[in-house]
Amino acid sequence: MFIPGFKIDDHNDKLLKAHQRKLKMVSEEIRNAENIIEKLMQFQVAIPSWALGTGGTRFGRFSGKGEPGTLEEKIEDIGLLHALNRSSGAISLHIPWDIPRNTQSIKALAAQLGIRFDAVNSNTFQDQKDQSWSYKFGSLHHVDKKVRQQAIEHNLEVIEYGKALGSNAITVWLSDGSSFPGQLNFRKAFQNTLESFEEIYRRLPSDWKMFIEYKAFEPNFYSMTVGDWGQSLLYASKLGEKAYTLVDLGHHLPNANIEQIVSLLLMEGKLGGFHFNDSKYGDDDLTVGSINPYQLFLIFYELVEGMDERNMNHATDLGWMIDASHNVKDPLEDLLQSVEAIKIAYAQALLVDKEKLKAAQQENDVVMAQEVLQNAFRTDTRPLLTEARLRAHAAIDPLLLFRELKVRDELIRQRGSVKIATGL
Amino acid sequence: MFIPGFKIDDHNDKLLKAHQRKLKMVSEEIRNAENIIEKLMQFQVAIPSWALGTGGTRFGRFSGKGEPGTLEEKIEDIGLLHALNRSSGAISLHIPWDIPRNTQSIKALAAQLGIRFDAVNSNTFQDQKDQSWSYKFGSLHHVDKKVRQQAIEHNLEVIEYGKALGSNAITVWLSDGSSFPGQLNFRKAFQNTLESFEEIYRRLPSDWKMFIEYKAFEPNFYSMTVGDWGQSLLYASKLGEKAYTLVDLGHHLPNANIEQIVSLLLMEGKLGGFHFNDSKYGDDDLTVGSINPYQLFLIFYELVEGMDERNMNHATDLGWMIDASHNVKDPLEDLLQSVEAIKIAYAQALLVDKEKLKAAQQENDVVMAQEVLQNAFRTDTRPLLTEARLRAHAAIDPLLLFRELKVRDELIRQRGSVKIATGL
Amino acid sequence: MFIPGFKIDDHNDKLLKAHQRKLKMVSEEIRNAENIIEKLMQFQVAIPSWALGTGGTRFGRFSGKGEPGTLEEKIEDIGLLHALNRSSGAISLHIPWDIPRNTQSIKALAAQLGIRFDAVNSNTFQDQKDQSWSYKFGSLHHVDKKVRQQAIEHNLEVIEYGKALGSNAITVWLSDGSSFPGQLNFRKAFQNTLESFEEIYRRLPSDWKMFIEYKAFEPNFYSMTVGDWGQSLLYASKLGEKAYTLVDLGHHLPNANIEQIVSLLLMEGKLGGFHFNDSKYGDDDLTVGSINPYQLFLIFYELVEGMDERNMNHATDLGWMIDASHNVKDPLEDLLQSVEAIKIAYAQALLVDKEKLKAAQQENDVVMAQEVLQNAFRTDTRPLLTEARLRAHAAIDPLLLFRELKVRDELIRQRGSVKIATGL
Amino acid sequence: MFIPGFKIDDHNDKLLKAHQRKLKMVSEEIRNAENIIEKLMQFQVAIPSWALGTGGTRFGRFSGKGEPGTLEEKIEDIGLLHALNRSSGAISLHIPWDIPRNTQSIKALAAQLGIRFDAVNSNTFQDQKDQSWSYKFGSLHHVDKKVRQQAIEHNLEVIEYGKALGSNAITVWLSDGSSFPGQLNFRKAFQNTLESFEEIYRRLPSDWKMFIEYKAFEPNFYSMTVGDWGQSLLYASKLGEKAYTLVDLGHHLPNANIEQIVSLLLMEGKLGGFHFNDSKYGDDDLTVGSINPYQLFLIFYELVEGMDERNMNHATDLGWMIDASHNVKDPLEDLLQSVEAIKIAYAQALLVDKEKLKAAQQENDVVMAQEVLQNAFRTDTRPLLTEARLRAHAAIDPLLLFRELKVRDELIRQRGSVKIATGL
């Protein structure tokens, strides 16, 4: 299914007047509206190929209907999102759930929809049919060299797929860890993992980045071999300049100050990418901004401030990706909400009066520092996002148009009710 | 120090035009602006008498200057707040830190400043000079009847002070608990506490309420004898219809869903009052809305929705109080920020399209339910608060005026630098 | 596979001498060895029918081999455990994973192995094939009466199965909740659930108990409709005297004091049953005692102390059950470790010098209270467990004998490698 | 007060027979009893000078009686502990709470009691009288160079005190951080801190170590500038080989796997010292081993295993110190319990069958790995500790003798009831 431009035009025509009124209002109140709108237009968030179907928990999955069954259908879904918001112009592939069998046609399809290939993701947290060795007790950290070698080769294969598609980064998330005291020798697990990383790193194309994602717990429940930013940074530092830490918002212990981690990783030149989601308890993988949008804003402020300090390009110098699980919402609607929340936080961060904040910090004027941040956060930046969409020929209200066009019904008509997307 | 009306008028005159522009904008976008403004005008938040000085931790306290040294000065401070925002028209007294020695003059002073006496607070978590028995091992739950009796009598005395001032509720927060396994027999501690409560309850004036505050930990670090809402509700149910649970936002285990607790307590008719603050780790007692303003909004939505369901008066049927500690901010500025945050959340909650939300819930349209809530939250309600203040002859920008008038400098001039307020 | 008595005798003969030496040692040091041994012999822990296969997480499951594929095989597995430790003489059935198709033969098989039928468990957290309505948005709390009715009928059906087998309790664990703010009206969810419970309760046989299990989060990640002991107790109190709270060790917020909850529920006469496991982060469902055995002991002390106070029979007046997930261990070995850990904690609890503890509590001698508890905990009670097993004709070292007899190899030979047990 | 040797002899004579019986029993069951006893004799735990008085919380302090009022009296108290257990032969001084005015006599006193001077501790988390600049907004991280310089000089002064006494390490715990979003620029705070550390490090004697302690939160409640092991390691790595990380058990986010952190820091050669205590919620500073003794054992196992791997001397190559707060127990009794708990865990760790564990790990035999660890943990090692004490002429039961000798009564007689020790 494709959304023809005129349908977007029709939708926008109806809502234009109200939008213009709101935009005028907010533009009068803020200094840099035009600059923010431009930055918003450039900012794209990659959609993971595994997030287009309904997710679940160990207790079950309640599948939705009309889900994509093939990589082509997944790209088509992202094309729908991108047509609606012009902010989802990238896909992050998961191998082996979504192996691109026919590279040329896949690339052509993506190009046609304006979608590029973001970081590719390896998977050594599940066993695949016909695999020689099991990852039950880990992969890159495994006590047995054979298993490590198999996992290394899988990562190298993933890089090959990525190269063929034009990706230039690999994200390695390891579920390696232990569920019981005594199961692992922590040092040996670290050293085995480092050795494995080194082999992969050695074969990384010179213009690629390697993102090392950390996670505090789950699916292992006692230790994780890449468990926090400190460990990830240790690996990345030992590996070299192409290795970076990737931060997933849900991968921390309770109450962690993620904004500070982001700031310090940028200081060290070692922040590589970002997985957006939200959570209340653990790696809940909820819609971005649905639980604590203020924290999201604070993180974005550190991103913007820290990237500016290093003259980094907001849109291109970090990998931006959603990593969520849609258990009770329509996946496409959920993703529309998530992208919106990300861009609202980004706009709010751009709105912060940095000079005033800096001055307040320099004087330990804590009250004013809070005022500056909250003034940006409390400002309703949505008209700026709308304007950015409008200029990019996206929909004024993507979610509304998604529903008006009955996109899901059409997808069900085309694909049927029972198809189940690969993924979690 | 008193702020003369003309200074407020001058301040407002300067900011009026900008305010009117913003008010017009937001009023056009929302349905019930006038209704919200009226409700905001009625909504008052009590200021605790112990929160007017700089707070601290066990590691130390960095006192500020010009702090109030007497109850009269504390009331004067609240008078300043109330003059600035017309939303702080109540004081919550802590006994014995702030014993009203001369009831008549205290009442007259408060009346003159438009301040009424909210719930009075007892203190059996510290030993006072000349006290017969120590509360080192608890008070109302103590194994020794003598100690319990002393604590009961203290509570009865606090009620007497409250009666004299026109208060009609007592808040009992017990630090009683244990720091080590084995220290307590939990059942006996509960039963002793219940017995003690019963004695106090028996002597409670017929038109009074008794608020039983719970707390998960600190200052005891193994168990608390009124440790969660379940325990508080058990006590309140066993006591009778004048006994209620009081919720303090910082008194929960990590990740607790406070909104749900609020909703269920309202359902049971047992929510009595509320202590506002914010926190990231424990009972951090930070400025309201400084860490997770969305959660604050969600809590307020449950309050509004649940109170409406029972035909309760928002302004008068629950006890609203701040309970925070100002360690690095000027206490008065901190309180201005807190009251503002509370009223923003209240306004946002009033803005929720309840019918649309109910419909979404009825259809399990989770996406739309989130849209409805976030639409209210993302709306910039600050002009409504300003308008409410304006109509009540308060300042358009209380914090700005506080600084313009150099209130703290004046207080230092009057009171000196070194005075230290009683309290934590 | 059945373990003949002579194999156990052979095993015991070899280890007898060493055991007797240890038993003599410990018996000389403690007062009530004989009494503890007798109590240990009576104490049985029910094995859940779903815990005999390898468990997993949403990220995957690494199946083991030789797993039971039918209810008969599951009972056979429990028979093996029971033959080895004579402490696993009960099964807790999960419907519909383990529907007893032929009640008579199932009962006969169980009786032959010395296994009785403990509480039956309903499942409305997953959709079953051919089910009319989905539980995606809950079951007993659902906004739609039709769905609630279906879930009620399922529970009634489960009771019927239980009656046929001689069970006399039903455990209701609801995954009902919400994953996003706004999704639910908490009060209505509570009231719908209560109504549904009432219908089930009305049809509960007069000699049955209904256990209402609570859980803080997962699979819903914002709220749970039976989320904590306070909520469970509210339901159970409103329902009547046959309704009880069931505590699962992994179902709490971080740092919760579970021992206190247990004590208070016993005080209220409302503790019904117990699900044992251990965890570090959330509902990790790890082997009992593998993470915090001291907490397990403290809980057991409260159980013993609180039950004694009410003259309850330790062995029969509460439902004792394991509820764990075996992701990286052989399920049968894991269960042997769990039962051992439970009984060690029970023995330690029985070892506590209650009079001395009571005296220390009465004097606020916190140091001595800790000494009394830790003295019991630090005592090596394993010889008492061994002796209890020996007297009951179980193995001195169940795990060792399990390995010596190559039980798993034999099960693989009989059942094959690929069978996957139903369950999580 | 001094405990004469004959009183210890008398005490031991009475208990000797029972001890010998228990020792014989346990020695028969374990392989390396003699080796463990020797190691236990060498292992000394430093007592912090601030932990000899009753501690408190921000809610108050309930002082005990007979507390030491001078440094001499504190050393005397540690002398009492050391006489009783011969395991407390070191003091860790806190400056400025315990400035050694007369170095010679202090050293002589300590030498006479067999006490050496462990790491000295600086304090820039409180303001001292006559201090030029306040640490309200931090010290080594402060935005103002003047304040940083003052804090640097304080640290240098502390080193001088340490040199005079024969100490060879300084522990720097910074409370620097922020309580509100926006208060700090995290990068600048880090860089200011690093610069300050560098100035101190430059002046560190060549045979000294600098311990950088981290803490997740409190007294700052939003961010800490040395907040976790990752940050501490970053500082220590940038500083050089004399800089190390110091781990305090209570300074982590909920559920952190401290054992893994210890292992990785040892791997990096950057673990410098250890602060023992226990906690349930935050930095509760409870008696070591009172909440989760199994975790303590697991940490000790990593310490022993990791130190052995690097051929480190258990007794001398890391700084071992208690850092607890005694709010409801007699401080000296509390310290006796803490030292005992530490040494039990150490003995259990030494008892682990490392070869068997290594083999289990190599085969992913998770069940056996747990058995090996728990077998050591469940063994009652107390007779080994007793024997180590006996051989060192300490008391068989230090706590019992402390009470029999009525040490506290005697101290009260000498010092009076009302003296309050400096410290938290």
Side-chain angles (χ1 to χ4, degrees), chain D residues 98-119:
Chain D
D98 296 296
I99 294 179
R101 298 292 172 198
N102 185 334
T103 310
Q104 286 318 310
S105 69
I106 293 287
K107 283 179 74 167
L109 174 61
Q112 181 192 344
L113 298 168
I115 294 168
R116 65 179 175 71
F117 290 90
D118 209 286

Side-chain angles (χ1 to χ4, degrees), chain B residues 112-319:
Chain B
Q112 178 190 347
L113 297 168
I115 295 167
R116 64 178 177 72
F117 291 89
D118 210 287
V120 284
N121 302 268
S122 59
N123 172 345
T124 58
F125 54 87
Q126 292 179 323
D127 286 349
Q128 308 300 327
K129 258 180 219 157
D130 312 324
Q131 172 177 318
S132 304
W133 312 104
S134 171
Y135 297 133
K136 184 167 191 166
F137 300 104
S139 56
L140 297 182
H141 89 163
H142 202 281
V143 288
D144 190 333
K145 175 71 186 161
K146 286 191 308 289
V147 186
R148 299 201 297 273
Q149 194 56 41
Q150 174 182 281
I152 290 165
E153 277 155 24
H154 167 69
N155 275 278
L156 295 175
E157 187 193 343
V158 170
I159 292 171
E160 290 308 309
Y161 283 120
K163 280 161 67 178
L165 292 168
S167 178
N168 59 8
I170 180 170
T171 298
V172 186
W173 172 62
L174 286 186
S175 73
D176 293 22
S178 66
S179 278
F180 293 98
Q183 182 178 344
L184 280 188
N185 180 303
F186 297 125
R187 290 194 323 278
K188 288 188 187 153
F190 186 97
Q191 285 155 348
N192 284 339
T193 305
L194 181 59
E195 261 183 54
S196 302
F197 277 148
E198 283 167 347
E199 287 211 39
I200 300 166
Y201 188 85
R202 219 171 293 142
R203 305 273 288 277
L204 199 69
S206 61
D207 61 337
W208 272 51
K209 293 178 180 175
M210 182 169 163
F211 298 151
I212 297 170
E213 188 170 357
Y214 60 88
K215 185 172 183 180
F217 58 94
E218 194 211 22
N220 275 295
F221 295 117
Y222 175 62
S223 75
M224 295 287 277
T225 298
V226 192
D228 63 10
W229 76 275
Q231 289 172 65
S232 172
L233 181 59
L234 259 188
Y235 288 115
S237 300
K238 289 173 192 286
L239 286 171
E241 58 179 14
K242 292 184 293 181
Y244 294 86
T245 292
L246 183 140
V247 176
D248 180 300
L249 291 178
H251 289 192
H252 300 82
L253 292 176
N255 307 334
N257 187 322
I258 303 172
E259 334 41 311
Q260 188 181 17
I261 292 171
V262 163
S263 174
L264 297 181
L265 286 170
L266 278 169
M267 178 184 79
E268 293 294 297
K270 281 298 195 185
L271 183 64
F274 226 85
H275 279 184
F276 292 107
N277 50 55
D278 210 341
S279 60
K280 189 168 175 63
Y281 303 101
D283 189 28
D284 306 340
D285 274 336
L286 302 178
T287 316
V288 184
S290 63
I291 300 296
N292 193 341
Y294 190 54
Q295 186 191 36
L296 182 67
F297 157 74
L298 294 174
I299 290 167
F300 253 104
Y301 179 68
E302 294 303 329
L303 287 165
V304 163
E305 198 268 349
M307 291 179 84
D308 286 351
E309 189 74 15
R310 299 178 77 87
N311 292 313
M312 293 167 76
N313 181 316
H314 297 179
T316 57
D317 285 352
L318 286 185

Side-chain angles (χ1 to χ4, degrees), chain C residues 6 11 81 112 132 142 147 155 171 239 249 274 313 386 393 416:
Chain C
F6 74 88
H11 166 88
L81 295 176
Q112 178 191 345
S132 304
H142 202 282
V147 186
N155 275 279
T171 298
L239 286 171
L249 291 178
F274 226 85
N313 181 317
T386 306
H393 304 108

